Amino acid sequence: MPKAAKSALKTTSRTTRFDAADYLNTEERQAAYIAAALETGDADFVRDALGLVARARGMSTIAKKAGLNRESLYKALGETGNPEFGTVMRILGALGLTLSAQPATSGRTSRRRRAA
């Protein structure tokens, strides 16, 4: 094998690990990211978004404000986590966010149930 080919094989590229939390560096960006996740209706995406923002702010700080221990917060917001609604509300409160509802724009009309 020619020398040039051997040296080309030895060349490696250095990469850095991408962490989206590095880009969620303001409260406005964090709130917008969680709002976008909520709009999707995808529970896993919402869980992941909460975890990402919690990491951006500091898991220990958010856990303390939410009244949870850090390990429980990691578990609830981890890949296989399934946090209870009360836990989600506590995390949102710790992040200084509230949850609100607005009519969906899906084009579907709501049906009213008749009172029994």
Side-chain angles (χ1 to χ4, degrees):
M1 186 178 281
K3 258 187 172 177
K6 282 184 180 180
S7 73
L9 291 175
K10 291 181 182 180
T11 304
T12 59
S13 297
R14 294 194 96 175
T15 60
T16 57
R17 186 167 103 45
F18 174 79
D19 188 356
D22 294 339
Y23 297 92
L24 296 173
N25 53 5
T26 66
E27 289 182 7
E28 292 79 16
R29 286 181 179 181
Q30 294 166 356
Y33 187 66
I34 290 174
L38 288 166
E39 287 175 8
T40 68
D42 182 343
D44 289 339
F45 185 22
V46 172
R47 182 204 60 224
D48 292 344
L50 288 171
L52 196 59
V53 171
R55 277 194 306 110
R57 294 225 192 149
M59 285 293 236
S60 295
T61 302
I62 299 305
K64 190 176 202 176
K65 287 181 178 180
L68 303 166
N69 66 46
R70 193 174 57 85
E71 292 79 19
S72 295
L73 185 60
Y74 271 110
K75 185 176 178 182
L77 299 178
E79 191 174 320
T80 59
N82 188 17
E84 292 183 4
F85 188 70
T87 302
V88 170
M89 295 302 292
R90 290 165 65 181
I91 294 166
L92 286 171
L95 293 171
L97 301 172
T98 60
L99 187 62
S100 62
Q102 62 187 30
T105 58
S106 67
R108 290 177 37 184
T109 58
S110 62
R111 291 184 180 175
R112 289 185 118 179
R113 287 188 179 179
R114 278 200 235 173

